[in-house]
Structure formats: C-alpha cells, structure tokens
Amino acid sequence: MNKTKNAAFAYSFLLPSAVLTLVLGIYPIAWAFRYMFYNYKGYGTARFIGLDNFTRIMQDTQFWDSVLNTFVYAGGKLLLSIPLSLLLAAILNRRLRGRHLLRAVFFMPTVISTAVMAVVFFTIFNSYNGILNQFLIKFNITSAGIDWLGAKHAMLTVILVAVWGAVGNYMLLFLAGLQNIPEDVYESSALDGADKIQQFRYITLPMLGPVLQMVIMLAIINALKGYESIMVLTEGGPAGKTEVMFLYLYKLFFPVGGSGAATQVQEFGYGSAVAFVSAVIVGMISLIYFYASRRMNRMD
C-alpha cells in the first residue's frame, strides 16, 4: 500500500513536467513534421504538395549561402573562443589577488540577454558615430570611420561579439576541470625538471580531455544554432553576408526587415522543411565530432 502511495506521489511530481514536454516539445515537432509536406502560409487551407518543399531547398541558393555563412561563423567562433577561454581559465586558476572578482567579470556576459548585448555592441561598432570609430579617429589610428557592419567586416564583427558572449561560460567549465587536477602531480613533475609548457602539454591538456571534449561539443552546437545577436546587429545583412542558417529559418516563420535573404511573407510549410534539413545538418556535424572524439580516445 505504501509502495503504491509512494509511486502516486512521485508521478504527481512528474506529471506537470511530462505535460509541458508534450505540449511545448513533442507537439511542435510533430506539427512541423506534418507541414513539411504542405504549402501553408499560416492562414487559409494547407495544400499537400509532397516533397516539393525539399526540391525547393535543393535549388534555394539563399539557404545554402546561409549554411556556408553558418560554417564560417561557427569556425571563427570556435577558433577564437576555446583557446581564449582555456587561457583565461589557466590564468585565473592561479593564486592571483582579485581572481574571484575577475572570474565574475568574465562570466558576466553569459548572464546578460543576448539582445541587450547586441544592442550595446551596435553602439560600439556603429559605422557613423560608434564608440570604436571615435576612439580610433581620436588617437589617429585611422583617418576615417571603418564600416564595421558593412560587407567587408560584418562577419568578423558578429564573430567577435559571439566570442565575447561565450568565453566566460567556457572559462568556467575549464576552471572546474583545472581545479580537479591534483596539485601534487604538478609538484612531482617539477621535481623531475618539467617546465610550465611541458606541464601544460603533458599534464593539463590530457587530464582536461573530458572537459575539453564537452566544451567543444557545446561550442559547436551553440555556434551552429546561434543567430540572436546577428539578428539585432545586422539582420543578416548586408546582402545576406551574415545571414546564418537559423536566422534564415527564423525569417521564414517571422519575416523581419528587408536586408535578409528570406521572403517577406510567412512560409510555415517551407520553413518546417528548412527546419528539418537544418536539424539534420547540425545532427550530422555533431555525429562527426562524436565519432572523431571517440577515435582520439581509443588512440590515447
């Protein structure tokens, strides 16, 4: 009797979460899966068109340009954010005065809204009266303002903003990993004559391996899915130069502005098909990384 009561008590706690998962998680996926095969603009009658949406995707150069932009954006973000966050973690893991305050400062961008962060950076990188251009001109570093959000520099700018927002989070994970490495391992290696670089190469990196793999995985997924700061900074412009895959998808469901590549009307049917293909691309990249990391583990 008591076991039955305990089970009922446990299920009563699980039920709200299960209902929310079904309503907010499973149902939207099933809804999108259905409309992949329909011509549906969010109003009126949905018309079944079979695989026409997928045929359109194969011929949609704007979508494939956004996929290419996504890889450039994700690659740049990974190459900058992971080494920088590891370096910061290694420095702030030492017994420095004020290290706790510095950890909080570097972690702070993680808790700030992405939209707010992007607005702040828009005022910094604004081509006409941005803070950065004013600084460069005042100190004679350049004679004229640089168009940071123009075609030539826009991708670099959105990558730098993304790196600034991600470094604190990854730094914290690396710090947790570093603090689990026993101090006596370093002391023993120092007695054997190992210098700091050798300790980092042969002790820190191998013992930090599981954390490093997890951080890279999180970084890959977040970089491939990220679009919020780009939407605020450039809306995917100029001329689609910074339009990444999920921003293109967002515009199909919620058309915004006129600088992006997506159409100006809602396309729920086509958007659902693009969402499916985008999820497959992210899933394939994740699987490739899982396979590569498992191979590296076996080689070790």
Side-chain angles (χ1 to χ4, degrees):
M1 189 65 181
N2 283 337
K3 289 179 72 176
T4 305
K5 281 185 177 179
N6 288 337
F9 187 68
Y11 284 125
S12 69
F13 277 92
L14 292 173
L15 187 60
S17 299
V19 171
L20 284 175
T21 302
L22 279 172
V23 174
L24 302 177
I26 306 299
Y27 175 73
I29 292 173
W31 184 93
F33 191 81
R34 176 197 172 194
Y35 281 108
M36 288 191 300
F37 307 103
Y38 283 80
N39 180 7
Y40 182 50
K41 299 190 181 302
Y43 54 86
T45 305
R47 182 167 58 87
F48 182 76
I49 56 174
L51 296 175
D52 285 3
N53 281 330
F54 293 95
T55 305
R56 179 179 165 186
I57 289 174
M58 297 306 295
Q59 300 167 348
D60 188 349
T61 55
Q62 294 173 341
F63 171 69
W64 294 110
D65 284 345
S66 75
V67 174
L68 180 62
N69 288 338
T70 303
F71 288 133
V72 174
Y73 172 75
K77 184 179 175 182
L78 286 172
L79 286 175
L80 291 175
S81 64
I82 291 181
L84 184 58
S85 54
L86 180 57
L87 178 64
L88 284 174
I91 294 172
L92 295 179
N93 192 44
R94 303 177 67 182
R95 293 177 182 172
L96 299 174
R97 182 175 293 179
R99 65 183 187 279
H100 297 298
L101 175 63
L102 289 171
R103 290 174 188 174
V105 168
F106 283 112
F107 183 70
M108 195 170 291
T110 307
V111 299
I112 297 175
S113 160
T114 305
V116 172
M117 181 184 74
V119 169
V120 171
F121 274 96
F122 183 80
T123 63
I124 294 173
F125 288 109
N126 191 300
S127 306
Y128 300 103
N129 56 0
I131 297 168
L132 182 57
N133 274 341
Q134 289 180 22
F135 175 84
L136 294 175
I137 293 171
K138 183 176 181 179
F139 288 94
N140 295 321
I141 298 172
T142 177
S143 58
I146 298 171
D147 189 4
W148 295 106
L149 300 176
K152 190 175 180 180
H153 302 293
M155 180 57 81
L156 176 62
T157 302
V158 297
I159 289 173
L160 291 177
V161 174
V163 169
W164 186 83
V167 159
N169 195 21
Y170 303 148
M171 179 203 72
L172 205 65
L173 295 171
F174 280 132
L175 264 174
L178 287 171
Q179 289 173 0
N180 282 327
I181 300 176
E183 193 63 32
D184 54 2
V185 179
Y186 291 107
E187 292 171 357
S188 300
S189 65
L191 291 174
D192 290 336
D195 57 28
K196 294 294 181 185
I197 296 176
Q198 288 173 323
Q199 287 178 342
F200 182 78
R201 168 68 181 85
Y202 297 106
I203 298 174
T204 304
L205 273 183
M207 297 189 76
L208 209 56
V211 177
L212 184 61
Q213 287 180 358
M214 181 185 67
V215 169
I216 293 175
M217 188 71 253
L218 289 173
I220 289 173
I221 293 175
N222 288 334
L224 291 174
K225 290 170 59 182
Y227 71 91
E228 296 91 345
S229 61
I230 299 176
M231 186 169 66
V232 176
L233 278 170
T234 65
E235 290 186 8
K241 293 287 185 184
T242 58
E243 188 158 70
V244 292
M245 191 165 57
F246 279 85
L247 178 56
Y248 179 84
L249 170 63
Y250 178 89
K251 288 180 177 178
L252 291 172
F253 285 97
F254 309 102
V256 292
S259 59
T263 62
Q264 296 303 301
V265 296
Q266 290 176 320
E267 296 200 61
F268 284 10
Y270 184 59
S272 299
V274 170
F276 177 78
V277 173
S278 302
V280 169
I281 291 172
V282 174
M284 286 175 64
I285 300 294
S286 303
L287 285 176
I288 290 170
Y289 173 72
F290 271 128
Y291 178 76
S293 61
R294 286 185 64 182
R295 291 272 297 178
M296 284 190 287
N297 287 338
R298 287 175 185 170
M299 288 172 68
D300 290 342

